[in-house]
Amino acid sequence: METLEIKEKEKATASIQNISGSQAVLEALVAENVDTIFGYPGGAIMPIYDSLYDYADKLKHILVRHEQGGIHAGQGYARSSGKVGVVFATSGPGATNLVTGLADAMIDSTPLVCITGQVFAHLLGTDAFQEVDVINITTPVTKWNYQVTDATEIPGVLAKAFYIAATGRPGPVLIDITKNAQLQKFDYEGYKKCDHIRSYRPKPIVRKKYVEEAAKLINEAKRPFVIFGQGIILGKAEKEFKAFIEKGGLPAAWTILGLSALETDHPLNVGMLGMHGNYGPNVLTNECDVLIAVGMRFDDRVTGRLDKYAKQAKVIHLDIDPAEIDKNVKATVPVWGDCKETLPMLTKLIEKKNHKDWISKFHEHIRKEAEVVIKDELNPTGEVLTMGEVIKVLNELTDGNAIIVTDVGQHQMVTCRYAKFNQSKSNITSGGAGTMGFALPAAIGAKYGAPERTVVAIIGDGGFQMTLQELGTIMQFDVDVKIIILNNQFLGMVRQWQQLFHEKRYSFVDITSPDYIQLAKAYKIEGRSICKREHLKNALNTMLTHKGSYLLEVMVGKENNVFPMVPQGRGVAEIILSKEEL
Amino acid sequence: MSKENNGIENLDITTPPGGHVVVDKSGKLEFTITVYTENQVGLLSRIAIMFSRRKINVESLNTSPSEIENIHRFTIVINEYEDVVRKLCRQIEKQVEVLKVYYNTNDELVWQEVALYKVPTGIIADIVKVERLLRQFGARVIAITKDYTIFETTGHREETDRLIKVFGQFGLIEFVRSARVAIIKDSSGFHEKLRQFEAREPGEDVIENEYLNQQDHIFTM
């Protein structure tokens, strides 16, 4: 009774302020513990930027050089911090420049709240200046989106936005706010975080029966094999996952977004899955008797030809998203739910085993791959530098503790194959969408998400030229990002395919680069270009110990290829170690 | 065997049901998808995109309020393989504002379509034995002018199609057919759930753009 009275009193004395919609936006961000916003102002979001002037002590705003840079920075921030990334853009072209990043965040399950300005509500549909139907454009690439035309909606809608972006299978949310709603004054009664939406069930109910069935299958298995994805990182279930595989003695391989969920050197970590993954995990996918997929979505880059994928295996699929179950690979036992909950349930029921003979089969394949591929990639005898040896030296110098952000292409595959990680949320890359230009802005965001950590962006000469204007952001905000350009003077991955599948018809993959060091200098960033092995370690060391950002260009072999490789249209067990096997 | 789209038990559905099932030349079945949703601006587009992205042609789409205030109901007819439909329904159900999705074959539903036929009054009055026609097809006259008469009939597509042929001989001026409306024979359970749901958590009112007609009164930059 007493408590009730106190609550009533509090309610009665709660001050109702008359504030603008744009102030309400910023109040919401403060209440959601947002510390950094990436954005670019413009006419239709000007009221929000005007209010932001008064919130400078609470909200840091990073002015990017292009809205695409803003959203990739938001993604990098979200991936390194585990929090929701926040992005501002104006209407029309500002908003449409977010679309690539939204698609990327959608497929890689990255939590984002993007706030776009929109023309006045009475102008909607009139082809007004910088009016674009951003809601309909972004519908397929957002988890949820909403257009606000009245300021009173703002607190409730933003609370929903943060809740939807961060819960269940995370994803990007876009809130489009008309200019009149930003300017409109209304009686603000405070911000209430959202913890429930009636038509939204972020987590499916875990069904004990299926956990028991899964445990039974694992206990009976002679050749169990775990494949894990980003679900473990998103679910903050790294400890639970490790306990699970260690008790069951289960060999585990990762998708590129799952990379860093388990330490690279863990004895049960058997490597990378998929098109450029390790030989053993790919071949043995078709030899295991129970395949346990945890928080991963059977992407076609992982499965190769579906009709040749793990046909012999009983499949246990743990996923928070019911729509992923049976989408590509039919599950024998589906375990719906958050793996933070389901993994301990499963661990409790499985028997302690070591599967020594079975795990040794992975090691046999690792030896074979080391002989044919890895040895030459990491310890080349030729004059020309390889991408792999750059990563190897980087591993030695960072001791596996850096956050590594990669762009898309050969360097991405090489980095994901050879980089070593000791802690989670260390590998940031564009997995599902394969967005070139991702890495430079994402690295900026990653540094703001984890300021205490070293952030190294590894980028190809092609991808770097797509968003290199973000060097300006690095310059202005003094962001400490180490940038390595692995320059092979080609759009390397396309060239590799042209070499292997198009009779070496190198159609428009020969790309000329500017003088990156001069370019960096123009942005007041120190840099160096190397092409000799004897300079590699020293150059990387200089880069890592340099105070502030640094750009290192490494000239690598022009026609080096990434192997192993599952050629398109083939099964995972048909992975090849060299072009001679094609 | 009405199929929900949120149950583990549905994972093992393999045998398409028999009965009055429509199978097209490629072996696809006619499925009716029933979607219960919040009443929200933009949701129609979000759901329509789910089909167009997969290049699935929607045969008919009806959206209307359901028996529960604030909850809308989409009835969507497509020809597809069951596996595709099941996956599609899961993706639709994933949408934040979607409450529930069912998919059914025709034998699991009671369904109707309304058809209107505009024909020249003179010809009809002179030649056609209207009374017989109306009895035979269960049609009703809903408007008569000196120029034309409008008939209405309700039924399955093949039934409404038959009347087109008849009127075709007598100068059919215009014809229109509605989207399918369908009731799942076996969905009483969800109706109850919906009622409890709405009583427990009333839906929000739709917010539309109230400023659209104020163009002349607002100064803009």
Side-chain angles (χ1 to χ4, degrees):
Chain A
M1 185 67 190
E2 204 182 336
T3 326
L4 262 179
E5 277 177 9
I6 292 168
K7 276 189 181 166
E8 283 303 310
K9 262 187 187 172
E10 279 174 0
K11 207 174 166 187
T13 53
S15 57
I16 297 173
Q17 307 165 52
N18 193 251
I19 67 171
S20 68
S22 59
Q23 284 173 295
V25 169
L26 301 173
E27 284 294 323
L29 300 188
V30 172
E32 291 287 350
N33 298 319
V34 172
D35 49 39
T36 310
I37 301 157
F38 302 94
Y40 205 99
I45 197 170
M46 235 188 286
I48 289 178
Y49 271 87
D50 182 59
S51 297
L52 188 59
Y53 200 72
D54 299 326
Y55 281 75
D57 56 332
K58 295 177 187 157
L59 296 165
K60 198 185 307 158
H61 178 274
I62 308 302
L63 175 68
V64 291
R65 294 302 184 263
H66 188 284
E67 288 84 356
Q68 185 183 355
I71 191 163
H72 290 329
Q75 291 175 269
Y77 173 91
R79 297 268 289 273
S80 71
S81 68
K83 290 157 69 177
V84 177
V86 178
V87 183
F88 284 174
T90 193
S91 64
T96 54
N97 282 342
L98 298 180
V99 172
T100 302
L102 287 170
D104 198 296
M106 186 73 178
I107 196 161
D108 283 354
S109 309
T110 307
L112 290 180
V113 170
C114 298
I115 294 168
T116 51
Q118 181 57 276
V119 301
F120 284 83
H122 70 274
L123 294 174
L124 288 172
T126 65
D127 297 329
F129 176 67
Q130 290 198 330
E131 187 214 355
V132 165
D133 182 0
V134 66
I135 290 297
N136 275 313
I137 285 177
T138 61
T139 292
V141 287
T142 49
K143 186 172 173 189
W144 188 66
N145 61 9
Y146 189 82
Q147 187 172 64
V148 174
T149 50
D150 189 304
T152 57
E153 297 176 71
I154 288 173
V157 166
L158 278 175
K160 268 174 94 170
F162 276 91
Y163 178 61
I164 291 167
T167 53
R169 180 175 177 173
V173 169
L174 184 138
I175 306 299
D176 193 41
I177 308 177
T178 55
K179 197 165 176 180
N180 60 296
Q182 296 172 46
L183 293 165
Q184 181 191 338
K185 297 260 186 173
F186 73 108
D187 289 338
Y188 177 66
E189 294 178 36
Y191 183 79
K192 195 168 168 268
K193 279 194 185 186
C194 175
D195 60 7
H196 174 78
I197 297 169
R198 73 171 192 164
S199 56
Y200 172 59
R201 296 284 171 271
K203 290 183 196 175
I205 297 160
V206 180
R207 301 184 191 204
K208 214 176 148 202
K209 182 181 156 210
Y210 291 98
V211 177
E212 287 166 354
E213 275 183 31
K216 189 167 177 278
L217 278 183
I218 295 169
N219 288 336
E220 287 167 357
K222 299 276 179 271
R223 297 180 308 282
F225 179 32
V226 176
I227 55 180
F228 64 94
Q230 196 192 196
I232 291 166
I233 299 171
L234 295 170
K236 300 178 174 62
E238 294 90 346
K239 252 168 58 186
E240 288 79 0
F241 178 69
K242 210 196 295 193
F244 167 65
I245 58 166
E246 284 177 354
K247 186 175 181 191
L250 305 165
W254 34 272
T255 67
I256 64 164
L257 288 191
L259 176 54
S260 88
L262 178 69
E263 308 93 270
T264 322
D265 288 334
H266 191 283
L268 289 168
N269 192 337
V270 293
M272 170 166 149
L273 295 161
M275 184 173 267
H276 292 288
N278 292 110
Y279 192 63
N282 276 304
V283 170
L284 294 176
T285 295
N286 279 5
E287 289 182 30
C288 66
D289 56 358
V290 174
L291 188 68
I292 308 145
V294 187
M296 58 82 69
R297 59 182 180 83
F298 290 108
D299 180 90
D300 60 286
R301 283 292 192 268
V302 163
T303 63
R305 255 178 76 160
L306 273 173
D307 60 343
K308 292 181 174 183
Y309 186 77
K311 288 291 159 202
Q312 80 297 340
K314 292 197 166 82
V315 177
I316 299 166
H317 193 171
L318 288 78
D319 209 294
I320 199 164
D321 180 357
E324 285 303 328
I325 306 283
D326 283 352
K327 191 179 85 178
N328 298 324
V329 171
K330 179 109 181 132
T332 317
V333 179
V335 182
W336 292 359
D338 185 343
C339 58
K340 181 100 179 158
E341 288 173 48
T342 54
L343 281 170
M345 292 168 79
L346 206 48
T347 307
K348 207 172 157 191
L349 297 176
I350 62 171
E351 293 161 10
K352 194 162 173 53
K353 290 191 179 174
N354 63 31
H355 296 290
K356 216 170 143 191
D357 293 343
W358 167 236
I359 291 169
S360 70
K361 280 201 133 197
F362 285 90
H363 294 143
E364 280 168 32
H365 285 95
I366 288 169
R367 280 193 288 278
K368 186 174 177 185
E369 185 180 338
E371 189 54 38
V372 182
V373 179
I374 300 172
K375 193 178 71 182
D376 285 343
E377 183 65 39
L378 300 191
N379 303 295
T381 47
E383 262 186 38
V384 178
L385 281 166
T386 66
M387 292 184 182
E389 67 182 313
V390 180
I391 308 302
K392 187 187 133 193
V393 178
L394 186 67
N395 286 337
E396 288 165 13
L397 295 174
T398 60
D399 210 14
N401 290 319
I403 290 177
I404 296 186
V405 187
T406 47
D407 214 76
V408 173
Q410 285 183 312
H411 73 277
Q412 176 192 32
M413 291 298 110
V414 170
T415 308
C416 289
R417 281 176 56 79
Y418 299 114
K420 295 203 171 187
F421 296 103
N422 294 328
Q423 45 184 314
S424 184
K425 297 198 276 288
S426 294
N427 172 57
I428 297 171
T429 194
S430 167
T435 302
M436 286 176 72
F438 172 84
L440 186 62
I444 295 170
K447 187 65 188 175
Y448 281 101
E452 71 291 352
R453 299 188 64 191
T454 301
V455 174
V456 182
I458 300 175
I459 314 176
D461 46 325
F464 189 78
Q465 294 187 63
M466 284 199 175
T467 50
L468 59 78
Q469 73 276 15
E470 297 308 332
L471 290 175
T473 310
I474 291 175
M475 172 181 67
Q476 183 173 349
F477 294 90
D478 206 10
V479 193
D480 182 2
V481 173
K482 315 298 184 196
I483 305 156
I484 302 175
I485 299 175
L486 296 179
N487 188 347
N488 59 6
Q489 302 165 68
F490 267 129
L491 301 177
M493 189 57 97
V494 181
R495 187 213 51 78
Q496 176 170 339
W497 279 57
Q498 288 173 340
Q499 180 188 2
L500 301 178
F501 308 112
H502 295 274
E503 297 160 340
K504 274 190 143 185
R505 287 155 56 88
Y506 291 168
S507 180
F508 298 101
V509 286
D510 192 349
I511 185 165
T512 306
S513 287
D515 182 336
Y516 289 120
I517 310 309
Q518 287 299 320
L519 187 75
K521 271 194 186 148
Y523 286 100
K524 298 185 173 32
I525 296 169
E526 287 290 314
R528 182 182 176 188
S529 182
I530 60 162
C531 58
K532 289 191 172 152
R533 187 160 298 123
E534 61 260 35
H535 298 146
L536 179 60
K537 192 163 185 174
N538 180 267
L540 281 170
N541 200 35
T542 304
M543 177 193 82
L544 290 167
T545 53
H546 180 81
K547 200 169 174 294
S549 52
Y550 192 93
L551 188 145
L552 175 67
E553 180 188 31
V554 184
M555 303 306 293
V556 294
K558 273 195 88 170
E559 291 187 88
N560 287 359
N561 288 329
V562 191
F563 282 106
M565 181 179 189
V566 179
Q568 201 156 35
R570 297 216 196 155
V572 284
E574 295 168 297
I575 186 166
I576 56 169
L577 288 165
S578 65
K579 65 175 188 282
E580 287 70 37
E581 289 181 40
L582 258 182
Chain B
M1 61 173 251
S2 178
K3 278 145 281 188
E4 287 184 37
N5 183 45
N6 69 345
I8 292 275
E9 50 277 6
N10 296 317
L11 294 174
D12 296 323
I13 297 165
T14 48
T15 321
H20 306 290
V21 174
V22 177
V23 184
D24 76 3
K25 282 176 206 162
S26 60
K28 294 177 178 174
L29 303 183
E30 189 169 87
F31 283 98
T32 301
I33 297 170
T34 308
V35 187
Y36 290 94
T37 71
E38 300 286 2
N39 183 13
Q40 280 286 336
V41 173
L43 198 55
L44 173 63
S45 158
R46 198 166 261 279
I47 289 176
I49 281 171
M50 314 284 296
F51 294 86
S52 55
R53 179 182 179 185
R54 291 162 179 80
K55 213 176 173 192
I56 294 171
N57 184 36
V58 172
E59 298 294 325
S60 120
L61 186 152
N62 169 265
T63 165
S64 71
S66 74
E67 67 274 27
I68 313 287
E69 201 182 345
N70 284 324
I71 293 177
H72 269 226
R73 182 175 173 144
F74 287 60
T75 304
I76 305 162
V77 181
I78 58 169
N79 286 306
E80 254 310 331
Y81 299 108
E82 186 175 4
D83 193 40
V84 175
V85 177
R86 183 170 46 224
K87 288 175 187 171
L88 184 62
C89 289
R90 283 204 184 131
Q91 296 290 346
I92 297 171
E93 201 167 77
K94 230 172 97 165
Q95 300 300 314
V96 170
E97 280 139 351
V98 171
L99 296 159
K100 187 78 189 163
V101 180
Y102 290 97
Y103 68 92
N104 294 86
T105 45
N106 291 344
D107 59 328
E108 297 164 349
L109 301 159
V110 174
W111 55 277
Q112 292 285 61
E113 290 166 351
V114 173
L116 300 180
Y117 311 79
K118 190 199 268 182
V119 286
T121 299
I123 297 175
I124 289 292
D126 291 348
I127 304 171
V128 185
K129 290 173 180 167
V130 176
E131 189 192 337
R132 192 173 144 203
L133 196 72
L134 300 191
R135 280 173 196 277
Q136 197 178 340
F137 290 93
R140 293 190 302 139
V141 175
I142 57 169
I144 304 174
T145 69
K146 65 180 172 42
D147 296 328
Y148 61 81
T149 299
I150 296 176
F151 293 90
E152 176 255 302
T153 184
T154 307
H156 288 190
R157 178 156 301 185
E158 55 272 29
E159 293 163 335
T160 51
D161 275 352
R162 281 208 299 271
L163 201 49
I164 298 179
K165 282 184 191 158
V166 176
F167 283 135
Q169 300 165 46
F170 304 114
L172 178 67
I173 302 167
E174 203 176 328
F175 167 75
V176 64
R177 179 161 45 212
S178 74
R180 174 180 295 189
V181 289
I183 297 271
I184 303 167
K185 290 176 185 169
D186 190 25
S187 70
S188 59
F190 191 61
H191 171 77
E192 261 322 294
K193 275 187 213 166
L194 268 182
R195 277 205 179 289
Q196 292 164 9
F197 194 57
E198 178 63 19
R200 202 172 56 236
E201 300 179 57
E204 295 163 14
D205 289 336
V206 184
I207 297 169
E208 293 183 358
N209 184 0
E210 60 193 294
Y211 302 95
L212 265 183
N213 58 356
Q214 297 180 14
Q215 275 155 326
D216 296 339
H217 306 291
I218 297 177
F219 168 75
T220 60
M221 191 171 67

